[in-house]
Amino acid sequence: MSGASEPPQRHPEAGVSAESDTEPASPAAAPEPEPIAEADGEPGGIAAASPTTRSLTRRRVAPAAGAVVAVAAAVTAAVLAGGGGGHGGDSADGKGATATQAADGLPHTAIDVSTGGCGRGWGHPHAGTQVFDLHNSGSAASEVYLSDPKSGKLYGELEGLAPGTTRQMLVDLGSGTYAFKCLPEDTDAVTGPSVTVPGHQPQGAATLPVTQHDLIPPTLAYQQWIGARMGDLARGTGTLKADIDRGDLAAAKRDWLSAHLVYERMGAAYGTFGDADGAINGTAARTPGAVDDASFAGFHRVEYGLWHGQPAAALKAPAAELDKNVGALRDGWSQARMDPAEMGLRAHEIIENTEQFELTGRTDYGSGTNLATARANLDGTREILSLLRPLLTPRDPALPRLDSAVERLQHDLDAAGHGDAWTPLDRLGRAQREQINADTGDLLEQLAPVAAIFDVRRTA
């Protein structure tokens, strides 16, 4: 990247993949730690589902097309490599084939996926861990769910099963009634025959699917929460501008942090901010001299100047531009529309963003306040979880573990704060740094099921 030709980069809402070359020039931070093992709306309403990206790519949590997910206790996915070809010796002719033992030591049953024969082939149901070899004999790609036809609970799902291909669904079934639902592209869903697994074996873990309609109330509530923060943000950047205009750089350093943390608590809304996010909180390209490029703007441009000895005269224009962009964001927020389908994913992305950029010092331009930012990010994740909790409680039996993971990380980060002062990353003791890294990694593991639970699924 070139600082002269590339726009400033903002760290992403961590979630869909890949590395970036974006890193601050001359960061005052420690080296990177070793890794720890659809609805149209009125203005201010809900946006139609569409992917949002920021200046860097994201690592998505939801299963890729063709991946098979066994819906486990917290909906953490067991992904099996699917391939075309054999059905493990089973028949899909609808005559009640018997499950056969395959090379993996598990019983396999061949199941047809089509509008005319959805679920055909499951003639001898039994409890226990087993594999369904799902073969799409139709003409369109299809999703496949294994569910309780009465409650709607999902025990397994498969996405993107192409015509003529076979993929495997690994499940652990207890006694009860089940049915396959086939959802071909551009065609109504078809539910296959109900099949009863005999006996008295407890059923395995399942989850209730979440619809976009379910997510509209918490999304609207979150939009209102963001709107309430906008006034604080604008007042903060206004104060920062006033400090610099009168040459009080000591006050500017204090007020810079206060305003920046307000912005950093808004993590789930960054995608909706669009280009404003880069203008307000962008970072410089990782090339020599990039911090001097005219396109480097926003909070981090002001941070760089304040902590690298630049005079107030050099910071007046960047501070005024930041304040203007924040004001425009505040004034336009009532017209913004967030996508309900992204709410669950955002909770995970915020902390992944924290791990990748704040805990490595990539976004430190001299203030040494990455841990304060991490703490603000955690507040943002807490807010999303609080709004999603009514939907999450009946769907995630591991929710107490998630709550504990949030509390542990908060305790770790609070220990690095001393009033308005925060310990820079390079001054953390090794044990303290390792504990923060480990607890951040654990929280990410606990949040991954949240993203999977709120992956909106078709119902018809």
Side-chain angles (χ1 to χ4, degrees):
M1 296 184 184
S2 168
S5 61
E6 297 274 350
Q9 302 291 307
R10 160 70 179 159
H11 49 292
E13 300 165 34
V16 188
S17 155
E19 284 297 314
S20 164
D21 293 332
T22 304
E23 187 172 325
S26 306
E32 295 188 17
E34 296 181 0
I36 305 293
E38 206 136 288
D40 290 333
E42 296 302 319
I46 302 299
S50 61
T52 55
T53 57
R54 303 183 63 201
S55 53
L56 303 182
T57 51
R58 299 177 296 159
R59 193 161 57 252
R60 177 146 172 92
V61 179
V68 177
V69 180
V71 186
V75 200
T76 48
V79 181
L80 301 178
H87 293 239
D90 293 333
S91 166
D93 60 4
K95 297 181 180 179
T98 302
T100 60
Q101 205 80 1
D104 57 16
L106 296 172
H108 283 234
T109 303
I111 300 294
D112 184 40
V113 176
S114 66
T115 55
C118 180
R120 186 176 60 187
W122 195 4
H124 297 273
H126 59 89
T129 303
Q130 55 197 284
V131 175
F132 292 110
D133 295 312
L134 304 175
H135 179 73
N136 187 349
S137 62
S139 59
S142 182
E143 297 180 26
V144 188
Y145 301 155
L146 178 62
S147 65
D148 180 325
K150 291 184 178 179
S151 69
K153 289 183 177 180
L154 297 183
Y155 292 84
E157 68 176 314
L158 178 151
E159 296 182 351
L161 180 62
T165 62
T166 300
R167 294 291 185 268
Q168 296 178 333
M169 177 185 286
L170 173 68
V171 294
D172 184 6
L173 298 182
S175 303
T177 301
Y178 304 89
F180 281 100
K181 177 181 283 190
C182 305
L183 302 96
E185 289 182 353
D186 303 320
T187 306
D188 291 341
V190 177
T191 301
S194 296
V195 174
T196 300
V197 173
H200 303 283
Q201 185 166 325
Q203 287 189 316
T207 187
L208 286 167
V210 173
T211 68
Q212 185 150 311
H213 179 66
D214 294 330
L215 288 170
I216 288 176
T219 305
L220 288 173
Y222 184 75
Q223 287 186 201
Q224 292 169 356
W225 184 83
I226 290 292
R229 310 279 86 72
M230 287 290 185
D232 295 338
L233 179 62
R235 283 188 290 273
T237 57
T239 300
L240 173 61
K241 176 181 178 299
D243 293 339
I244 291 173
D245 285 345
R246 69 173 184 270
D248 189 348
L249 299 189
K253 287 182 177 181
R254 179 190 66 240
D255 294 329
W256 175 90
L257 178 59
S258 177
H260 187 236
L261 296 184
V262 173
Y263 188 83
E264 289 288 349
R265 292 185 181 97
M266 300 180 178
Y270 291 156
T272 309
F273 291 169
D275 293 341
D277 180 41
I280 291 170
N281 211 32
T283 58
R286 293 168 61 189
T287 54
V291 292
D292 298 319
D293 192 278
S295 62
F296 180 35
F299 274 113
H300 291 302
R301 167 62 185 92
V302 176
E303 176 191 10
Y304 182 82
L306 285 173
W307 275 273
H308 284 81
Q310 292 184 349
L315 293 173
K316 285 184 178 181
E321 185 71 11
L322 170 62
D323 188 47
K324 182 185 77 171
N325 288 329
V326 165
L329 180 65
R330 175 200 59 198
D331 295 344
W333 182 247
S334 63
Q335 304 299 312
R337 293 181 292 174
M338 296 184 65
D339 180 4
E342 295 184 346
M343 283 290 284
L345 183 61
R346 292 294 183 246
H348 184 277
E349 286 180 336
I350 292 170
I351 301 302
E352 190 173 19
N353 188 66
T354 301
E355 180 185 58
Q356 188 175 1
F357 293 92
E358 304 307 333
L359 298 187
T360 61
R362 290 192 185 189
T363 52
D364 180 15
Y365 287 84
S367 68
T369 58
N370 285 107
L371 294 177
T373 300
R375 181 65 173 82
N377 293 163
L378 186 63
D379 287 341
T381 288
R382 272 188 180 277
E383 182 61 26
I384 296 177
L385 291 176
S386 71
L387 294 173
L388 294 178
R389 187 167 291 269
L391 295 171
L392 190 58
T393 299
R395 291 172 170 85
D396 188 0
L399 188 54
R401 292 203 299 272
L402 171 57
D403 291 337
S404 295
V406 171
E407 293 295 334
R408 282 194 300 273
L409 183 56
Q410 178 175 326
H411 179 269
D412 296 343
L413 295 173
D414 285 347
H418 315 282
D420 292 333
W422 287 80
T423 304
L425 289 174
D426 58 356
R427 296 182 189 173
L428 286 176
R430 181 180 180 87
Q432 188 178 11
R433 183 161 186 159
E434 288 179 346
Q435 189 65 55
I436 291 172
N437 288 346
D439 287 341
T440 302
D442 179 60
L443 178 55
L444 279 170
E445 289 187 15
Q446 302 301 326
L447 285 168
V450 176
I453 288 170
F454 290 106
D455 184 20
V456 175
R457 295 165 173 90
R458 281 181 58 186
T459 57

